[in-house]
Amino acid sequence: IIIHESGHEWFANNITYKDVADMWVHEGFTAYSENLYVDYHFGKEASADYVIGTRDRIQNDRPIIGPYGVNKSGSGDMYYKGANLLHTVRALVGDDARWRAILRGLNEAFYHQTVTTQQIEQYIIDQSGIDLRPVFDQYLRDSRIPTLAYRWEDGNTLAYRWTEVIEGFDMTVELTVAGQAYRVQPSTDWQTLETLSRGEVVVDRDYYIVERNLTE
């Protein structure tokens, strides 16, 4: 609680939403700051354990962003789902030094300003060099969690695609197949991956998604 409420000095008191519909800008980032505290004191694996452990509390009942112009916030998932969205973006950026610079840069670029979600999104997109618009739309404006469906075909061919996603969703994920690492960018159409051998498929846990094996 102390870490979370202290985090509001950055996200709420320094960067403030213009409309309560964007309250996740306060609560998602401060929930994520708890993870950063654990990272600093206990290491990256422990911090991942912490934020991933909060997924059990996510309801996915309605979008995180609420309706604008009517003084109404979005889902209470803005805390834990917001934090796991940011943890997923960290994995997509793939460079912790750059990710930390982005978090610090937000508080410099929007120092003592009222902002919209779109401004926060665009800053992260610009600074990361990654088109994260489909990712933000999926996790902030839709209540579904991306599901990576996969099945084994002839030989060592793994077929995969996204389900339960918005149109145009194509987020990259890292996975291992029989212990071999791969980085793939699924779409809603079936794609295939020729693996070295057929075996257990494990998606990197840092990505907040659901896995579904359709082979059996």
Side-chain angles (χ1 to χ4, degrees), residues 64-179:
I64 289 177
I65 294 178
Y68 289 103
V70 293
N71 194 34
K72 185 174 177 61
S73 62
S75 170
D77 285 344
M78 68 180 77
Y79 291 83
Y80 300 125
K81 189 174 181 179
N84 275 281
L85 161 61
L86 295 172
H87 189 67
T88 298
V89 172
R90 176 183 183 175
L92 291 168
V93 171
D95 182 332
D96 284 348
R98 175 178 290 185
W99 177 236
R100 293 299 182 91
I102 289 172
L103 294 176
R104 294 189 179 99
L106 282 167
N107 281 274
E108 295 174 358
F110 301 111
Y111 178 74
H112 285 182
Q113 295 181 38
T114 55
V115 303
T116 65
T117 288
Q118 286 79 6
Q119 288 175 279
I120 298 296
E121 291 178 32
Q122 194 59 55
Y123 182 88
I124 296 174
I125 289 169
D126 291 343
Q127 297 301 312
S128 67
I130 304 172
D131 184 4
L132 296 166
R133 288 173 297 178
V135 176
F136 287 125
D137 284 343
Q138 178 72 45
Y139 288 94
L140 295 175
R141 300 176 177 90
D142 196 283
S143 61
R144 296 170 296 172
I145 295 303
T147 298
L148 182 64
Y150 62 89
R151 67 190 182 207
W152 285 104
E153 298 186 342
D154 294 339
N156 296 331
T157 301
L158 182 70
Y160 57 89
R161 71 182 180 106
W162 287 120
T163 64
E164 303 299 316
V165 293
I166 61 173
E167 184 176 356
F169 186 78
D170 62 351
M171 184 176 77
T172 299
V173 292
E174 297 176 70
L175 50 83
T176 60
V177 180

Side-chain angles (χ1 to χ4, degrees), residues 3 32-43 47 100:
I3 299 305
Y32 185 69
S33 72
E34 301 168 26
N35 170 61
L36 294 176
Y37 173 85
V38 175
D39 193 325
Y40 180 83
H41 288 283
F42 303 102
S47 70
R100 293 299 182 91

Side-chain angles (χ1 to χ4, degrees), residues 2 15 18 41 54 57 60 68 72 78-79 82 93 106 122 150 152 174 192 199 209-211 214-215:
I2 292 172
I15 299 176
K18 288 184 178 180
H41 288 283
T54 66
R57 302 184 183 185
N60 292 311
Y68 289 103
K72 185 174 177 61
M78 68 180 77
Y79 291 83
V93 171
L106 282 167
Q122 194 59 55
Y150 62 89
W152 285 104
E174 297 176 70
T192 57
I209 67 169
V210 174
E211 303 170 46
L214 303 179
T215 304

Side-chain angles (χ1 to χ4, degrees), residues 152 156 175-182 195-202:
W152 285 104
N156 296 331
L175 50 83
T176 60
V177 180
Q180 180 69 34
Y182 300 90
T195 67
L196 296 178
S197 61
R198 186 180 289 221
E200 182 183 14
V201 177
V202 179

